[in-house]
Amino acid sequence: MRPATSANSSTVKIQAVYKAARVTADSSINKNGKATVEDEQDDDDVEAGPAPPPEEADESIDDEEGRFFGGGITNDTANVLDFIDKRDQGDDSKPEKIDASWVRKLALSFERKISKNSELRAKFEDDPQKFMGSEADLDADIKALSILSDHPDLYEEFARLGCVASLVSLLSHENTDIAIDAIEIINELTDEDVEAEQEQWDHLVDAMYCHPPSRFDCHLHFPGVLENLSSRRAISESIGKDTSFTPWLLKRIQQKEASVSQNKQYSAEILAILLQSSPFNRTKCIELDGMDNLLQLLSSYRKRDPAKGTEEEEYVENLFDCVTCCVDEPNGKSKFLDAEGTELCLIMLREGKMSKPRALRLLDHALGGPEGMACCQKLVQAAGLKPIFSTFMRKVSSFHRPRIEITLDVPLTLAQHDNQTTEHLLGILSSLFRSLPANSAESIRLLAKFVEKDYEKIARTIQIRREYASRVSAIDREISNEKAGLSEEERDDRADE
């Protein structure tokens, strides 16, 4: 029977504990620190076994974090952490002021990093581990200069402190990564998207120097820097005077590649920009046999078109621009003749597609001017009148639409001939009439073209003239109507303009 007595004793203890835990909601601690409990209930109402889970406390008295004791930290510790967070947030909320003082601090740090790196490199030349840390610091300072592109008003101070010259000097740094970072920053600072005044931009550009480009052949940003700098004629000419640069460009655009790369295309574009901006650069290119090299590159496209939307298509367009610039110079016209440029253009007019309008433009420039007489004669002698007049009589700018009969009674719509094609055709014919000697065989052949087929070329010319005259008259009427609504004072002001 002892086991039964033991079980009853255990049951009594459990009941006592359970009764003590059932504190009423409005109970409080008495002065002796004892809790008030409810009256004892009947034993029959008490269930044996472990105590049920306590009732959920009122949400209103739950801790703010929803966790026991606020995550396990005391109130003092929480207050300290809150104070630190507020102080950190206060420091971040104050933006750094970008002004001349900031530039001077940046320049001082930048120059120190360059000097420290140079010293460590010289001292530990055979132990790169000793100076790699200084190069990492220098790399970070170089990249920090990019913020200047948002503050072009500080360009003058930046240049005055000598930082531009220091930045450019890093182009020859032994570490290629440092050199690339430097040229990327220069490209960013001189980018056309930077909202800088001309005077601010001049301060930056004037402090820069031209460096040999050979080691940056594989880096995309170098041509971009040259393009940005070439927008000023004085700088463009100074770049062209560099004895190594123009030959390098000519060599670069001739390199054989499986497909035209972006660097090759960009080199052709830079050369075109330099030739457009300065007669000196054009003469320099011609003297370096640039005309012959450019025509040889174009000859591969006399019957073949590059794929549309590719680097090759833009590359070919840049080549045409380069040759067109060169033939504007007197010695360029003679080189163009010697390299059989006239014959190449005529082949493109007959058989080319993408090259046809560009060849027409090139001929217009080659035949123009007093020095274009030899080119005019060569055009007639090479049977060039037929493709020229065939294009002239064709009514569509694409050169591939059906032919339409022309009569004087039907006005010509110049939309059938795009404006540039019409301009170049009329320019070529004008140069032929102006430059070919009277009573020469070439002049007689030209006149005969206007007589044949019942003077259809003359009818075509008259129609073009009528269309342009009607356009000019419409503009004149608009101007007259606008002037009629102006006061005398406004008319005087317009007259002064």
Side-chain angles (χ1 to χ4, degrees):
M1 297 300 293
R2 292 183 63 183
T5 304
S6 176
N8 293 335
S9 176
S10 298
T11 302
V12 172
K13 289 181 180 180
I14 292 172
Q15 291 174 352
V17 172
Y18 180 65
K19 291 177 181 180
R22 296 192 57 185
V23 182
T24 58
D26 55 350
S27 65
S28 60
I29 306 299
N30 58 20
K31 295 181 180 179
N32 296 327
K34 297 181 179 180
T36 303
V37 299
E38 294 180 348
D39 294 336
E40 237 180 304
Q41 295 180 357
D42 295 338
D43 292 344
D44 296 338
D45 298 332
V46 179
E47 295 180 359
E55 298 179 359
E56 292 185 4
D58 189 0
E59 293 182 358
S60 62
I61 63 174
D62 195 10
D63 62 281
E64 293 179 359
E65 300 292 336
R67 296 166 295 177
F68 184 63
F69 288 131
I73 62 174
T74 64
N75 291 336
D76 292 340
T77 305
N79 293 334
V80 171
L81 293 176
D82 291 341
F83 173 77
I84 294 174
D85 290 341
K86 290 179 180 179
R87 188 179 65 175
D88 292 342
Q89 292 176 1
D91 293 341
D92 294 340
S93 61
K94 297 178 181 178
E96 189 175 11
K97 187 176 182 180
I98 309 298
D99 54 7
S101 176
W102 176 86
V103 172
R104 286 190 286 270
K105 292 179 182 178
L106 182 68
L108 180 61
S109 174
F110 180 55
E111 295 293 346
R112 284 177 177 175
K113 297 293 173 51
I114 294 177
S115 300
K116 181 179 179 181
N117 178 248
S118 300
E119 292 174 2
L120 292 178
R121 267 191 168 272
K123 187 175 181 180
F124 304 102
E125 183 178 359
D126 298 328
D127 190 0
Q129 295 296 331
K130 296 290 183 63
F131 57 76
M132 288 304 295
S134 65
E135 293 195 353
D137 295 338
L138 178 58
D139 178 78
D141 269 32
I142 293 173
K143 292 178 178 178
L145 297 176
S146 63
I147 196 173
L148 286 171
S149 61
D150 297 328
H151 303 275
D153 55 302
L154 300 175
Y155 279 4
E156 181 179 1
E157 182 69 14
F158 184 67
R160 188 187 66 80
L161 294 170
C163 293
V164 176
S166 300
L167 181 62
V168 175
S169 69
L170 293 176
L171 297 179
S172 57
H173 197 278
E174 292 84 352
N175 189 335
T176 305
D177 292 334
I178 296 293
I180 289 176
D181 286 342
I183 204 167
E184 286 179 351
I185 292 298
I186 293 175
N187 181 60
E188 186 173 347
L189 296 179
T190 58
D191 192 85
E192 60 180 5
D193 293 334
V194 176
E195 298 178 357
E197 301 292 338
Q198 185 65 38
E199 184 179 358
Q200 297 168 349
W201 196 80
D202 290 344
H203 285 299
L204 182 69
V205 174
D206 290 341
M208 293 184 178
Y209 303 93
C210 296
H211 286 256
S214 57
R215 71 169 298 183
F216 301 106
D217 180 22
C218 297
H219 196 265
L220 179 63
H221 288 284
F222 182 74
V225 172
L226 293 178
E227 181 179 0
N228 296 338
L229 298 180
S230 299
S231 59
R232 290 180 58 186
R233 179 169 178 174
I235 296 179
S236 176
E237 288 189 354
S238 66
I239 294 175
K241 290 178 182 178
D242 190 321
T243 56
S244 62
F245 184 57
T246 304
W248 176 82
L249 283 177
L250 289 171
K251 181 180 178 181
R252 182 65 184 87
I253 63 177
Q254 296 179 73
Q255 288 185 5
K256 293 183 178 181
E257 299 176 345
S259 59
V260 177
S261 65
Q262 191 172 16
N263 279 322
K264 185 175 182 179
Q265 176 269 319
Y266 218 157
S267 298
E269 183 176 350
I270 293 298
L271 181 59
I273 292 173
L274 293 175
L275 296 180
Q276 291 171 6
S277 60
S278 169
F280 174 84
N281 293 340
R282 295 194 285 269
T283 303
K284 179 73 174 293
C285 180
I286 294 168
E287 292 174 352
L288 294 170
D289 291 331
M291 177 66 73
D292 187 58
N293 294 330
L294 291 168
L295 289 175
Q296 286 183 11
L297 293 173
L298 283 176
S299 62
S300 60
Y301 299 97
R302 60 185 182 274
K303 297 181 181 180
R304 178 179 70 87
D305 288 346
K308 291 185 178 181
T310 61
E311 302 290 347
E312 187 177 13
E313 182 181 28
E314 192 168 353
Y315 167 73
V316 174
E317 292 177 354
N318 290 324
L319 292 180
F320 271 107
D321 291 341
C322 291
V323 179
T324 303
C325 290
C326 289
V327 296
D328 285 335
E329 300 299 318
N331 56 342
K333 297 181 188 297
S334 60
K335 289 287 186 179
F336 182 74
L337 279 176
D338 296 340
E340 299 182 348
T342 306
E343 290 85 346
L344 177 61
C345 289
L346 293 177
I347 293 175
M348 291 179 174
L349 284 178
R350 296 187 186 99
E351 304 178 13
K353 294 181 181 178
M354 176 263 193
S355 60
K356 183 175 293 186
R358 292 161 181 81
L360 194 67
R361 171 174 171 252
L362 178 54
L363 283 176
D364 183 19
H365 283 259
L367 272 59
E371 300 84 4
M373 183 178 67
C375 291
C376 292
Q377 292 175 327
K378 187 65 176 178
L379 176 70
V380 178
Q381 294 168 3
L385 292 179
K386 182 176 180 179
I388 292 295
F389 279 101
S390 176
T391 305
F392 181 68
M393 295 303 297
R394 199 162 298 169
K395 282 190 167 185
V396 288
S397 59
S398 63
F399 306 124
H400 297 294
R401 296 181 185 175
R403 295 176 61 90
I404 302 175
E405 294 297 329
I406 304 171
T407 63
L408 283 174
D409 298 331
V410 179
L412 172 68
T413 302
L414 287 185
Q416 298 167 344
H417 248 176
D418 65 84
N419 292 334
Q420 290 187 352
T421 299
T422 303
E423 176 186 349
H424 296 315
L425 285 169
L426 294 177
I428 290 173
L429 296 177
S430 177
S431 297
L432 290 172
F433 277 113
R434 186 184 298 110
S435 300
L436 291 177
N439 299 324
S440 63
E442 294 82 10
S443 180
I444 293 174
R445 291 174 62 181
L446 175 63
L447 293 173
K449 282 290 183 181
F450 282 89
V451 174
E452 66 183 16
K453 295 185 180 180
D454 198 19
Y455 303 96
E456 66 175 4
K457 278 81 174 179
I458 295 178
R460 178 72 166 182
T461 306
I462 293 174
Q463 289 176 333
I464 293 176
R465 200 269 177 193
R466 286 178 177 175
E467 177 63 24
Y468 275 109
S470 64
R471 291 186 179 186
V472 173
S473 299
I475 298 298
D476 288 340
R477 286 193 299 269
E478 291 180 6
I479 295 175
S480 300
N481 294 335
E482 184 179 355
K483 287 183 177 180
L486 299 177
S487 63
E488 290 294 335
E489 183 178 355
E490 290 176 336
R491 291 180 185 179
D492 294 340
D493 293 340
R494 294 288 183 90
D496 294 337
E497 294 177 0

